Amino acid sequence: MTPPPLPHMTTVTCLHAAVAQKSYGNEKRFLCPPPVVRIDTPIPRSVYFRSQQLSMRIFPEINELPGPPPEQKASLDDTMQACFKYLHVGGTQKSKSFHLSLDLAEPAVFDPMPNQGANGSNSAESSNARLIKPASTWASFSSAPVTIISKPSKKTAKTRNLASCILAGGPVSLFNRINSQTVRTKYMTVDQGRLCASNTTWSAFNVEVVQAVTDPNAQPPDVGTYHPGGVPPQPVTYGSTLLLTDSHTGLTSDPLVIRKVDKGRIVMDEGTMGGPVSQMQKVALCRITETGARYYLSAAGPLQILPDPSGAATDGKGVIATHPLVYQPPAVREEVKGDVRMEVDEVDDFLCWTIVGISKFQYTFFDGIHNNALARFPITPFPTLLSPPIYKPQTHTLDLTIANYFYTDPTPTSTDANGYPQHGPPQPLEIWLGTLGPLNARVYQNGELTHTIGAALAGPAGGPSGASIVAHQTSSALQAPGQTMLGGMGSTIVVVEMPPMRDILRMVEVVTGADLGLGLGGAPVPNAALNQMTSMEGEEGEKDEEHNENGEGPSAEPGEAKMEKKGKGKAKDKDANGAAAGLSQPPQPPQHPGLPPYPHYPHMGMPMPPLTRGIPILFVRSVDGIGYHSGREIACENILGPMAMANGAGNTIESWVVRVL
């Protein structure tokens, strides 16, 4: 089941097929299933996103066509989703892969002429409309490479080539197509709590292997394809029993045996059973009763016309077409091979499903000045972790390898002799652990120390945060400002000084609502916004405009990044907020919708889980408060285990250690 979105953050998610077929000549083999973009954002900001224009392009590995690739545009519906149904891979005779590019743009603004009438059309379709403001792209997101295949393999895949296999645990999409006609395609989806077939929407299903059938002669996968955790991914094999779980609703199918289909017949020979399932192969999903009778999941049936509350239908009638899936028996025919008489199941097109793995790209960001509007400047490219963070307990530091870590403020600082605007040097992003920050850090490029970030260090102010940034002029790249908001400057190694363990544990208690049994009720936390965050949801109806995307409290000045900063304003905050700033009273557990707090474990009762939920590692632009979720979190683990915690024996701050999730 899809976890709830992080509160006060905006998450852009795109689900798409992991492989795509190549188009030849004038044909157009549209991506199937079509890419779907979903945006999870706080309600006050959703109105702004619905007005934005989304566009998607296919960028092949080798572009053999002149000009930029064609794009398809879409808008978000009432469910905050957009579908791109007409993208196809063409002109890529030499390309083996491509990537999807998603742009979010503020639409162009047109001034209608008086003779347009009372409706005041604000569309470029009108020849009388005068352009006031051109469209402005403020975010661009890219997918990982998508493999291009000529056509689905009819042979059983080899285990060693996992890239062409359907993997257990991963999401898949299944669609049914009659006589290979695109217009007669139905996707497996979930509607009203049951499996359905739909011609407009599709669902991603996680594959759980209940009972695996393996080929004893299969070779193990290459070491290079092993999962970073050390466990190699396991391919789904023919004859295995599966459970399909909708990744969004959590609905789970009946136990189904996956069978290979070839020329309308179920293939169950020794060369197929136990062999891996390949991408975009035709399969049948068989339910076997207690009596041994076989029934196959079928997409047969008339499409039931239902009202579409989201307005996402594309048939022009404001409706969606769907119907429940049913089980049908196959046509059984007896065959004799040698001296063996056997039964063969024959299935029609309604019982055949094309299976394809699903990939996704996802980006999470927030607005640190909580103005519930769009960013003034482009927010991409995203700062990206190139490798898992490394925590060093000896020094209590965190090593990060980051791409796009520097940004350049697009606001000119001066002009040259010719009147051209001049910008300041690239600045590093602040690093936060939840609402603890900005953290002290040392920045290295090409093995040389280039910046030292810390509130207690002398140097020029690094923006409204008040954190000092000392630039060590050892790299010529520091003199070249970037052309975009995030100037790139290649990969950067950042050594982050973690907050004291006591503060981290205190924040775990505040954010999760859990009692670690350490008596940290009066522990100092260097961020008065923590207390504001805990009570924010209860006051949301009255003070919604005072809280930002990351849950911090209001700042004193408009336009300032509304995060409390280390080393500045502590006395002022304490005077303004009284006991709240000093955390003299234990804050109440947060009640964020969609993110239930941990249960309050009594010290001598049920033990607190030894591994807590994570605190996100965040990057923040001090110039405008835009923040980015790194995709990684910090959790705390008690090395003594839950029983020791329940007994209270040795449960001290020293017994807790940091883990990177």
Side-chain angles (χ1 to χ4, degrees):
M1 185 172 181
T2 302
L6 292 170
H8 315 295
M9 292 194 180
T10 297
T11 299
V12 179
T13 304
C14 177
L15 299 177
H16 60 90
V19 299
Q21 282 191 263
K22 185 184 300 185
S23 300
Y24 294 93
N26 295 325
E27 69 175 351
K28 294 182 180 180
R29 295 184 177 179
F30 299 123
L31 301 188
C32 197
V36 172
V37 174
R38 183 179 70 252
I39 297 182
D40 297 302
T41 190
I43 293 178
R45 302 193 73 201
S46 60
V47 62
Y48 295 96
F49 278 97
R50 287 197 188 99
S51 66
Q52 300 303 289
Q53 183 72 58
L54 281 66
S55 60
M56 184 173 288
R57 285 187 173 95
I58 290 178
F59 284 90
E61 179 184 22
I62 302 174
N63 189 13
E64 303 167 19
L65 298 176
E71 67 174 1
Q72 182 187 347
K73 296 183 178 181
S75 298
L76 294 171
D77 58 28
D78 290 341
T79 64
M80 298 297 288
Q81 295 189 82
C83 184
F84 298 87
K85 299 184 63 174
Y86 304 109
L87 293 172
H88 68 282
V89 182
T92 57
Q93 300 298 324
K94 299 179 181 179
S95 296
K96 296 183 179 180
S97 65
F98 66 88
H99 73 267
L100 296 171
S101 177
L102 171 67
D103 290 343
L104 274 64
E106 192 168 359
V109 177
F110 293 87
D111 180 24
M113 300 298 289
N115 60 0
Q116 283 187 280
N119 59 356
S121 174
N122 192 28
S123 171
E125 297 177 359
S126 173
S127 59
N128 294 325
R130 179 174 60 89
L131 179 64
I132 298 177
K133 181 182 177 182
S136 175
T137 299
W138 55 272
S140 297
F141 308 104
S142 295
S143 71
V146 180
T147 302
I148 298 175
I149 62 175
S150 176
K151 59 182 179 179
S153 174
K154 292 186 177 181
K155 298 181 180 180
T156 303
K158 296 182 180 180
T159 310
R160 294 177 61 87
N161 185 16
L162 289 179
S164 62
C165 299
I166 301 295
L167 301 181
V172 299
S173 172
L174 296 111
F175 58 91
N176 176 272
R177 185 168 287 170
I178 306 301
N179 296 331
S180 300
Q181 298 179 22
T182 302
V183 294
R184 301 184 68 184
T185 301
K186 297 179 182 179
Y187 303 98
M188 187 182 296
T189 186
V190 171
D191 184 40
Q192 299 181 0
R194 56 187 178 182
L195 291 178
C196 293
S198 172
N199 62 351
T200 57
T201 61
W202 59 275
S203 297
F205 295 90
N206 294 325
V207 179
E208 178 186 352
V209 179
V210 178
Q211 184 177 1
V213 176
T214 58
D215 182 2
N217 299 320
Q219 295 179 332
D222 294 331
V223 175
T225 62
Y226 275 18
H227 189 272
V231 180
Q234 299 298 319
V236 176
T237 55
Y238 284 110
S240 298
T241 303
L242 314 175
L243 291 176
L244 301 177
T245 302
D246 179 29
S247 60
H248 186 64
T249 65
L251 178 74
T252 300
S253 69
D254 299 319
L256 301 170
V257 180
I258 187 167
R259 305 291 193 191
K260 185 176 181 179
V261 178
D262 185 27
K263 297 179 180 179
R265 295 156 48 103
I266 300 298
V267 181
M268 297 181 60
D269 54 45
E270 294 182 358
T272 300
M273 297 297 292
V277 181
S278 295
Q279 296 277 9
M280 299 196 75
Q281 281 188 332
K282 284 189 175 182
V283 301
L285 300 173
C286 178
R287 180 183 179 186
I288 302 177
T289 66
E290 295 180 355
T291 61
R294 301 182 298 277
Y295 294 87
Y296 291 88
L297 198 61
S298 171
L303 289 172
Q304 180 182 4
I305 306 302
L306 298 174
D308 182 12
S310 68
T314 56
D315 55 8
K317 300 179 181 179
V319 295
I320 57 175
T322 182
H323 69 78
L325 298 182
V326 296
Y327 290 97
Q328 288 186 349
V332 180
R333 189 178 67 177
E334 289 190 352
E335 290 186 352
V336 178
K337 287 189 177 181
D339 297 332
V340 180
R341 182 180 297 272
M342 56 188 302
E343 290 184 346
V344 176
D345 291 347
E346 294 185 341
V347 292
D348 58 27
D349 283 351
F350 286 110
L351 277 62
C352 300
W353 298 88
T354 301
I355 186 169
V356 59
I358 296 299
S359 298
K360 77 173 181 179
F361 57 90
Q362 179 173 294
Y363 297 86
T364 298
F365 58 96
F366 61 92
D367 178 11
I369 60 176
H370 52 81
N371 57 11
N372 289 327
L374 301 173
R376 292 184 300 147
F377 310 117
I379 67 171
T380 52
F382 256 60
T384 305
L385 290 176
L386 301 179
S387 61
I390 300 175
Y391 173 69
K392 296 181 177 180
Q394 301 86 351
T395 57
H396 195 48
T397 57
L398 191 68
D399 290 0
L400 306 176
T401 303
I402 312 170
N404 302 319
Y405 178 62
F406 286 83
Y407 70 92
T408 298
D409 187 347
T411 303
T413 58
S414 62
T415 57
D416 61 13
N418 297 321
Y420 291 103
Q422 300 296 302
H423 301 270
Q427 295 294 313
L429 295 166
E430 295 176 353
I431 298 178
W432 291 65
L433 183 59
T435 53
L436 295 176
L439 304 179
N440 297 343
R442 299 186 301 276
V443 181
Y444 296 86
Q445 290 183 303
N446 300 321
E448 297 180 339
L449 179 65
T450 59
H451 291 76
T452 304
I453 305 173
L457 297 172
S465 69
S468 299
I469 300 176
V470 177
H472 301 267
Q473 303 297 336
T474 57
S475 173
S476 59
L478 293 177
Q479 307 302 322
Q483 298 301 314
T484 61
M485 191 64 179
L486 289 177
M489 296 182 64
S491 62
T492 303
I493 296 177
V494 182
V495 180
V496 182
E497 297 180 11
M498 297 288 285
M501 195 66 189
R502 185 182 186 90
D503 293 347
I504 297 177
L505 292 171
R506 178 69 182 120
M507 181 167 185
V508 169
E509 288 189 334
V510 172
V511 173
T512 65
D515 182 5
L516 303 183
L518 296 171
L520 300 178
V525 178
N527 194 328
L530 268 178
N531 197 50
Q532 298 288 342
M533 181 182 68
T534 59
S535 60
M536 185 183 71
E537 294 301 332
E539 304 171 1
E540 191 171 34
E542 301 176 3
K543 298 182 180 181
D544 185 74
E545 72 281 1
E546 295 182 356
H547 297 93
N548 62 23
E549 293 286 330
N550 198 31
E552 278 71 45
S555 70
E557 299 295 336
E560 183 174 284
K562 298 185 180 177
M563 289 184 170
E564 301 297 334
K565 309 301 179 179
K566 289 178 62 178
K568 259 200 168 185
K570 288 188 177 179
K572 179 179 178 180
D573 294 335
K574 189 169 184 179
D575 293 337
N577 299 319
L583 292 178
S584 60
Q585 298 294 327
Q588 298 299 314
Q591 301 296 327
H592 297 310
L595 189 64
Y598 269 29
H600 187 88
Y601 291 91
H603 184 56
M604 298 300 292
M606 182 184 298
M608 170 73 187
L611 184 65
T612 68
R613 275 193 315 199
I615 304 172
I617 302 173
L618 307 173
F619 305 121
V620 177
R621 282 192 326 211
S622 62
V623 68
D624 60 356
I626 292 295
Y628 307 87
H629 196 305
S630 67
R632 293 285 181 166
E633 297 180 339
I634 294 296
C636 295
E637 181 180 13
N638 192 303
I639 59 177
L640 299 181
M643 296 308 298
M645 294 177 60
N647 298 329
N651 183 25
T652 64
I653 293 178
E654 290 72 22
S655 66
W656 289 83
V657 295
V658 169
R659 294 285 183 263
V660 179
L661 303 181

